[in-house]
Amino acid sequence: MKNSDKKILVTRSSIPPVDEYMEEIKEIWDSHWLTNFGSKHRELSEKLKSYLGVERIQLTVNGHLALEYALSALKLEGEVITTPFTFASTTHAIVRNGLIPVFCDVLPDTGTIDPSKIEDLITDRTCAIVPVHVYGNICDTEAIEDIAKRHNLKVIYDAAHAFGETYKGKGIGSFGDASIFSFHATKVYNTIEGGAVCFDDEEFGRALYGLINFGIRNAETVTGVGGNAKMNEFCAAMGLCNLRRVDDDIAKREKCAGRYRKRLEGTAGIRLNTVQKDVRTNYAYFPVFFDPKVFGKSRDEVKDALAGHDILARKYFYPLTSEFDCYKGVLDPGETPEAIKLASEVLTLPIYPDLSLEDIDRICDIILE
Ligand code: T4K
């Protein structure tokens, strides 16, 4: 197949050599222990705790339920300040807890919550802030912590995109009352499907454990009305394999991002994602923002031109969650002009460890033409 004939999708799951995975799951076969906190689950929990630099961790079946149950474990009521420039999961998790999302605008350079706009949205019903480290861009954790302390609010970070990142040398999962990660197939690090909640507080950990395991304390004692969101042994085994190569994957992603930057930086009408100070990033996404007035073509025209060559970039995140049909007339979309602008201009270009520099050049040639 010629290089120009192959389809390039926005991402491609990282997977280990099949023999490595078979070796890892052999123990599961031998023991017949498939789920419910088995040895792979325990081993992965320990390894991730250390890799992510967090005090405590609870692995989950996916990132969405990590967030939904983390919010639930905090027993919140009322309004939650969050942003609409995110994946459906963030807003849905808040709403599915019977909480009301109050949409705050984002910073134009990072797409993360604008701390200077939070306090105007606080009412006597506000109970928490759910900021999103969108694309792995780190929120202003210091400003958020200061606001949360002064107003006695909980902070739960949606760190779905931020696996392995650090801010000033500190694991990003260690900020706030809790941080959640996604280990979905499309993420920098995957366990096929999976996720985790990271936290410090032991009592919160007990409440969370109850929620992800039917409220069971022991075989004859059920102390809470929980659901089921445990990670199974096959996903944990995939996680153990992928953890061995995630640093290498991130290094390869860095090379891809560098090539895109080299080719696209400085082009009139194209803005690239901000490089943040004091952050070790994971190059999860490569968002590009097109200003149609200056660039001469809209984001949608660029997307269609790429699709004409079987290159399927994605509009993460358009539409804003506040504009979803299910929330029309139900939620107040708030005043979020910067988020609206980002959602109208963004195109996330393909990026994954084995994307070749030659393919990146081809993508850039099409954009620049
Ligand atoms: N919070 C935030 C901020 C999130 O972005 C997400 C998830 C969550 C919370 C919730 O975490 P999880 O519950 O998902 O763990 C994808 C992912 O399904 C989703 O995990 C992710 N965010 C979101 C941003 O992207 P889609 O609908 O765009 O996925 P899909 O199926 O179109 O796949 C995208 C591309 O990935 C494909 O074109 C090819 C590649 N791919 C996909 C799959 C399923 C693979 O290479 N292998 C695969 O197995 O949502």
Side-chain angles (χ1 to χ4, degrees):
M1 189 163 62
K2 283 205 316 284
N3 205 24
S4 56
D5 291 342
K6 72 173 186 230
K7 206 174 237 182
I8 300 178
L9 305 175
V10 68
T11 189
R12 190 160 186 255
S13 298
S14 284
I15 45 175
V18 67
D19 290 348
E20 185 182 336
Y21 186 62
M22 295 311 263
E23 186 57 35
E24 195 65 57
I25 63 172
K26 199 171 164 297
E27 231 178 274
I28 308 177
W29 235 262
D30 294 343
S31 68
H32 289 237
W33 192 275
L34 310 184
T35 186
N36 287 8
F37 313 104
S39 63
K40 298 290 168 194
H41 186 290
R42 288 195 297 275
E43 187 182 345
L44 185 62
S45 294
E46 284 310 310
K47 290 201 162 135
L48 282 176
K49 217 162 59 173
S50 142
Y51 185 88
L52 295 169
V54 296
E55 187 72 22
R56 295 194 166 81
I57 193 166
Q58 182 56 256
L59 303 185
T60 55
V61 71
N62 57 46
H64 176 77
L65 284 178
L67 183 56
E68 201 172 304
Y69 285 160
L71 290 168
S72 185
L74 287 166
K75 301 182 182 69
L76 303 169
E77 275 178 30
E79 296 171 356
V80 172
I81 297 175
T82 187
T83 51
F85 188 61
T86 181
F87 190 55
S89 172
T90 320
T91 307
H92 288 346
I94 295 168
V95 173
R96 287 175 58 79
N97 269 286
L99 299 161
I100 300 166
V102 173
F103 293 111
C104 184
D105 208 358
V106 298
L107 293 164
D109 54 343
T110 60
T112 58
I113 196 162
D114 182 345
S116 72
K117 309 247 168 77
I118 294 177
E119 287 194 276
D120 281 350
L121 300 173
I122 295 176
T123 69
D124 56 5
R125 306 223 334 115
T126 308
C127 57
I129 309 173
V130 175
V132 184
H133 299 306
V134 69
Y135 308 132
N137 290 341
I138 299 309
C139 301
D140 186 342
T141 51
E142 282 141 7
I144 292 167
E145 191 182 325
D146 172 57
I147 295 167
K149 266 206 185 122
R150 282 190 287 106
H151 295 273
N152 195 24
L153 304 175
K154 299 286 184 198
V155 181
I156 306 93
Y157 283 102
D158 182 336
H161 301 175
F163 184 85
E165 296 195 330
T166 59
Y167 175 60
K168 292 188 176 165
K170 228 179 126 190
I172 206 62
S174 62
F175 290 86
D177 294 278
S179 290
I180 72 95
F181 290 101
S182 164
F183 306 150
H184 184 261
T186 55
K187 296 292 189 288
V188 165
Y189 167 78
N190 83 78
T191 59
I192 307 173
E193 288 265 7
V197 186
C198 301
F199 54 95
D200 287 350
D201 184 42
E202 249 181 293
E203 203 180 312
F204 168 84
R206 273 193 291 276
L208 182 67
Y209 177 85
L211 286 165
I212 70 158
N213 190 33
F214 309 107
I216 293 173
R217 178 74 61 85
N218 62 48
E220 296 187 6
T221 316
V222 176
T223 53
V225 188
N228 178 6
K230 293 161 289 176
M231 179 182 283
N232 70 58
E233 290 290 277
F234 290 89
C235 289
M238 184 64 128
L240 288 169
C241 293
N242 281 339
L243 197 56
R244 291 179 198 125
R245 60 185 49 74
V246 69
D247 287 335
D248 195 35
D249 279 356
I250 292 173
K252 287 180 181 158
R253 285 173 172 274
E254 183 177 7
K255 281 208 175 112
C256 294
R259 185 64 151 238
Y260 273 128
R261 275 195 182 274
K262 194 164 157 222
R263 293 291 317 274
L264 299 177
E265 199 138 52
T267 307
I270 289 186
R271 187 173 69 75
L272 304 182
N273 198 29
T274 303
V275 176
Q276 291 183 294
K277 205 171 148 270
D278 297 326
V279 172
R280 186 183 77 198
T281 186
N282 64 10
Y283 307 93
Y285 293 85
F286 199 85
V288 176
F289 302 86
F290 293 91
D291 178 344
K293 286 197 201 98
V294 183
F295 188 64
K297 298 274 178 211
S298 70
R299 176 270 312 274
D300 286 353
E301 286 172 302
V302 178
K303 180 175 184 286
D304 291 347
L306 289 168
H309 294 266
D310 263 351
I311 296 163
L312 305 183
R314 293 290 289 268
K315 298 192 248 181
Y316 295 134
F317 289 99
Y318 172 87
L320 297 178
T321 63
S322 52
E323 292 168 347
F324 286 176
D325 286 355
C326 56
Y327 294 134
K328 279 198 181 124
V330 177
L331 294 180
D332 180 352
E335 292 286 319
T336 63
E338 297 296 349
I340 291 170
K341 187 165 185 291
L342 291 184
S344 74
E345 293 185 345
V346 71
L347 192 62
T348 45
L349 300 180
I351 188 163
Y352 46 89
D354 54 358
L355 180 64
S356 70
L357 298 183
E358 195 189 356
D359 281 334
I360 293 176
D361 281 341
R362 204 153 65 80
I363 293 168
C364 294
D365 288 343
I366 296 164
I367 293 172
L368 296 172
E369 269 164 27

